[in-house]
Amino acid sequence: MAVVPMKMSDLSGELGKDQDFATVVVRQHPKLDQPKALDVMTTEVEQFKAIGDLVMLEITMPDGTKQDVAMRLADFNKLAPNMDEVLKNARGTRGRVPGTRVGNGNG
């Protein structure tokens, strides 16, 4: 007699071998405070539908509160008639502000 290790799908309860499973990590969900991993049959993966290219935003309000927002690239691009140019000219989040000079000001 042999013992065969089996896994169970967190979605369907279906049993299978290790090679029949993928791991799906839920990174953000309104009911979770930390990421969770699901064991999912590879045949069940097709149920997860991609929504296309996403833009991930962090919005900081004047009072310091922050909100993370995900939106479709097409919708983001509609926010300005020349979004590519807006992004190209936007200041970076690290380093110096564009147009500033390196030096001690005695130059």
Side-chain angles (χ1 to χ4, degrees):
M1 180 165 78
V3 176
V4 179
M6 301 290 276
K7 267 187 171 176
M8 182 184 298
S9 169
D10 290 321
L11 299 182
S12 65
E14 189 175 338
L15 294 174
K17 297 178 183 172
D18 278 345
Q19 64 265 25
D20 298 328
F21 283 84
T23 300
V24 175
V25 177
V26 181
R27 296 215 177 271
Q28 187 173 345
H29 187 283
K31 303 227 178 195
L32 296 179
D33 60 357
Q34 64 182 356
K36 300 285 185 161
L38 301 173
D39 292 321
V40 178
M41 299 284 292
T42 55
T43 55
E44 296 171 325
V45 170
E46 65 193 35
Q47 296 177 85
F48 297 97
K49 307 284 185 204
I51 60 172
D53 291 333
L54 287 181
V55 176
M56 300 300 294
L57 308 170
E58 177 185 287
I59 300 170
T60 304
M61 299 303 287
D63 66 0
T65 58
K66 292 185 179 187
Q67 177 182 9
D68 292 326
V69 174
M71 62 187 301
R72 292 176 188 214
L73 177 61
D75 293 331
F76 179 77
N77 287 339
K78 292 176 188 175
L79 298 175
N82 56 341
M83 187 56 81
D84 287 343
E85 193 69 20
V86 169
L87 288 173
K88 178 182 170 194
N89 294 326
R91 66 181 169 84
T93 59
R94 299 183 197 205
R96 291 178 279 120
V97 176
T100 59
R101 300 164 115 194
V102 175
N104 60 10
N106 294 332

